[in-house]
Structures are given as C-alpha cells and as structure tokens.
Amino acid sequence: MSKTVLITGASSGIGEATAKYFLQKGWNVAATMRSPSKADNWLQKKNAIYPYLDVTKPETISSAIHETLQHFGHIDVLINNAGYALMGPLEGVTPDQLEHQFKTNFFGLVSTIQTILPILRQQGGGTIINVASIGGRLAFPLTSSYHATKWAVEGLSESLRYELRQFGIRVKIIEPGGIKTNFINHGTTWATHPDYTQMVNNLKQFTQKIDDSLPEPQGVAKTIYRAASDRSARLRYSPYGEAFFLLHAILPDRLWRSLVERIMLGKLDSRLKVNRAFK
Ligand SMILES: NC(=O)c1ccc[n+]([C@@H]2O[C@H](COP(=O)([O-])OP(=O)(O)OC[C@H]3O[C@@H](n4cnc5c(N)ncnc54)[C@H](OP(=O)(O)O)[C@@H]3O)[C@@H](O)[C@H]2O)c1
C-alpha cells in the first residue's frame, strides 16, 4: 500500500519540490495550498490531490486532513512547510505584522499538529516533519520576528519528540540554509522605520546579490524525503546549513558576529560606526 504525505504550502518553492519528489517516489501526496488555483499540471495525477489549506484558518486544516483521509484512507507523514519571513527592524514592526508572522509560521504549525495527532495516534504512528531554518538556531540582522517564530518551532519540535515517541510518532526538524525560492526576494514582508533605511538597503543589496547563487529547492526535497523514510531517532537535518552551524560552533562569538555584520550589512554607515565605538 502506498504511503501518504500531507504537505502545507505546496504551491511553490520547497513545498512544491517536495510534493513532486514524493510523487516521483510513488507516494500519495496531498499538496495542500491556500490558492489551489496555483495547482499546476504536475498535480494532475491519480495519486495527488491539492486541498485548500491556509494555516491561519483552522477550519481549512481540518477539512484538508479530512479530504486526504477520504481520498487515501490514511496519512503517514505531515510536513509543516508553509511560512514566510517578516524582515526589517523590530522598532518598525506593527502588532498586526508580528501577529500574522506568528499565526503563519508558528500557530498554524501548532494547529496542524494538534489536528492530526489523534489520527496518527489512532493509526499507531507516523512522522511529523517541521521545516524550521538555519535561522531557527542562528540569528541574522533585521530578521528578529522571523527568527522568533523559527526558534519557537525548534523548541516545540524538540520537546514534542519526547512526548510522542511512546505513540510511535517521530518528530523531525529540517533546517535549510538559503534556498532559491520565492522566499527571499518575493515572499518576504518588510517592516520599515526611517532610522534604519541604510541598514535595510545594505541587507537588501546583499540578498539580491546572493539570490542567483543559491541552491534550488530539490536538494531540500530529497533531505525531507530522507527524513520521512528515516526510522532512526535523528531529530535534525540541515540541508545546505551544515557549514553555517560548523562555523558558528568553531568561531569565537565575537568573530562570528563581526563576520555576519560585514558580509550581510556590507559597509557600515558612519553613525553605526560611531555607535560601535562605544561598545
Ligand atoms: N528559501 C529559503 O532560503 C528558506 C530557508 C530556510 C527555511 N525556509 C522555510 O521553508 C519553508 C518554505 O519556504 P520556501 O523557501 O519554499 O518559500 P516560498 O516559495 O515562498 O513558499 C512558501 C509557501 O508557504 C505558503 N504559505 C504562506 N503562507 C501560508 C498560509 N497562511 N497558509 C498556507 N500556506 C502558506 C506559500 O503559499 P502562497 O503561494 O499562497 O503564497 C508557499 O506555498 C518556509 O517555512 C521557510 O521559512 C526557507
């Protein structure tokens, strides 16, 4: 009997690449998305469905899970992938922006897990894969809101792993490095504040510069597939992220931070230099 995976945010990027890879491997795929009109030809297959699921709307989580069960009879793996980044200085972040960031990246993931848990327990097991980021254990400039959500996903996942082992449910965390998707230059929402303009422009220049050199999402899809098929107790998988964790572990903290500043923020403006002189 073919296994079934349910993926959130499968309309583009890592979610889409992952859905395609699981289909290629002969799985039943529920490639959920908040705009099923974006479903492409690749989804017109007998073993694929694309239910409407917006992680900020709990009723759509229940209905997508229900539709998947009706169609395939069981769900073996849940991949919580939907997400976006709220970037910009914390001083400029509005309560609505922060709330929406948490509703999507964190509370949406929590609701999806809570909805599917009784089903996985009744089935006698399963796997929950949460897509965090290298930014779930490291932090970079002007990304505080996004990091807060991904650090929360890391903590939740690591703790959850202990409580679900007794039910045969595995929890896995995927921590991709920078990947070429809509995420970095199109999927991002920016908070603004006039006193951070120079810094924001420097970071935008950096992200535009690196965009073309980033790896495609297929490599992450393969890692997610490996995690889904891995019966070991391994918790974390870091496609294109290992080098960052290694550097962070071996460099002294101050050197790491200074490298991050130089590389991501480029030439510091004179006011920032003055502020640094007082540190
Ligand atoms: N790309 C990177 O460098 C990178 C690195 C580390 C981690 N990640 C993580 O990887 C995951 C996927 O991102 P990506 O890089 O593949 O970016 P992406 O191409 O922008 O894909 C994001 C997906 O999430 C969906 N989404 C956003 N809000 C949603 C909501 N409320 N309900 C349901 N779906 C929603 C989007 O749907 P729409 O098409 O409707 O907008 C899209 O399908 C995210 O969790 C991101 O944090 C990405």
Side-chain angles (χ1 to χ4, degrees):
M1 187 173 55
S2 294
K3 290 192 169 177
T4 302
V5 59
L6 185 148
I7 307 170
T8 65
S11 59
S12 67
I14 293 171
E16 178 181 339
T18 304
K20 285 180 177 164
Y21 196 69
F22 276 74
L23 275 175
Q24 212 178 300
K25 292 285 179 185
W27 284 51
N28 300 320
V29 173
T32 75
M33 49 189 84
R34 62 177 168 172
S35 320
S37 58
K38 287 187 182 171
D40 236 329
N41 280 346
W42 62 271
L43 273 168
Q44 312 304 328
K45 295 213 164 58
K46 203 167 63 119
N47 57 334
I49 56 171
Y50 39 96
Y52 168 49
L53 192 163
D54 179 333
V55 294
T56 65
K57 297 182 177 146
E59 67 285 2
T60 70
I61 299 173
S62 307
S63 62
I65 289 175
H66 182 69
E67 191 179 330
T68 306
L69 285 174
Q70 277 206 318
H71 209 84
F72 299 123
H74 57 107
I75 300 175
D76 302 279
V77 176
L78 163 68
I79 301 172
N80 283 305
N81 162 76
Y84 75 97
L86 168 58
M87 305 279 294
L90 188 71
E91 203 174 339
V93 171
T94 66
D96 280 354
Q97 282 179 318
L98 189 60
E99 190 183 328
H100 195 258
Q101 173 76 132
F102 265 88
K103 266 187 168 172
T104 307
N105 291 11
F106 183 70
F107 291 111
L109 170 144
V110 172
S111 300
T112 313
I113 292 174
Q114 286 182 326
T115 311
I116 211 162
L117 268 181
I119 295 155
L120 297 186
R121 292 208 295 121
Q122 199 194 1
Q123 287 177 179
T127 303
I128 295 171
I129 299 180
N130 294 331
V131 179
S133 166
I134 52 166
R137 285 196 285 145
L138 302 173
F140 302 105
L142 297 170
T143 319
S144 55
S145 307
Y146 177 71
H147 285 311
T149 65
K150 293 295 184 179
W151 284 52
V153 167
E154 290 266 354
L156 173 131
S157 308
E158 185 162 337
S159 174
L160 195 60
R161 176 192 171 277
Y162 293 107
E163 67 199 51
L164 296 184
R165 243 162 84 86
Q166 60 180 319
F167 303 115
I169 300 171
R170 290 185 191 80
V171 178
K172 309 273 184 185
I173 308 171
I174 309 295
E175 301 167 323
I179 307 298
K180 192 168 171 50
T181 64
N182 289 339
F183 178 80
I184 292 191
N185 286 316
H186 306 289
T188 303
T189 302
W190 283 88
T192 55
H193 188 290
D195 293 344
Y196 297 81
T197 307
Q198 166 89 55
M199 204 183 206
V200 167
N201 287 343
N202 288 353
L203 182 67
K204 282 185 176 172
Q205 266 179 25
F206 166 76
T207 54
Q208 277 157 12
K209 228 182 325 174
I210 61 161
D211 197 30
D212 274 345
S213 57
L214 292 176
E216 301 286 336
Q218 285 75 9
V220 182
K222 284 183 186 170
T223 304
I224 293 177
Y225 183 79
R226 188 154 53 86
S229 317
D230 186 352
R231 301 188 71 77
S232 80
R234 179 171 173 188
L235 178 64
R236 291 187 165 85
Y237 304 76
S238 311
Y240 309 107
E242 298 287 6
F244 293 92
F245 290 125
L246 182 68
L247 261 185
H248 182 256
I250 59 178
L251 290 180
D253 252 13
R254 276 179 58 179
L255 183 55
W256 165 262
R257 283 198 301 270
S258 135
L259 261 181
V260 167
E261 271 185 332
R262 274 161 198 267
I263 294 171
M264 297 187 74
L265 299 178
K267 248 177 36 198
L268 298 171
D269 72 27
S270 53
R271 192 155 42 107
L272 285 168
K273 276 183 190 152
V274 171
N275 286 342
R276 279 159 60 88
F278 285 99
K279 284 193 180 143

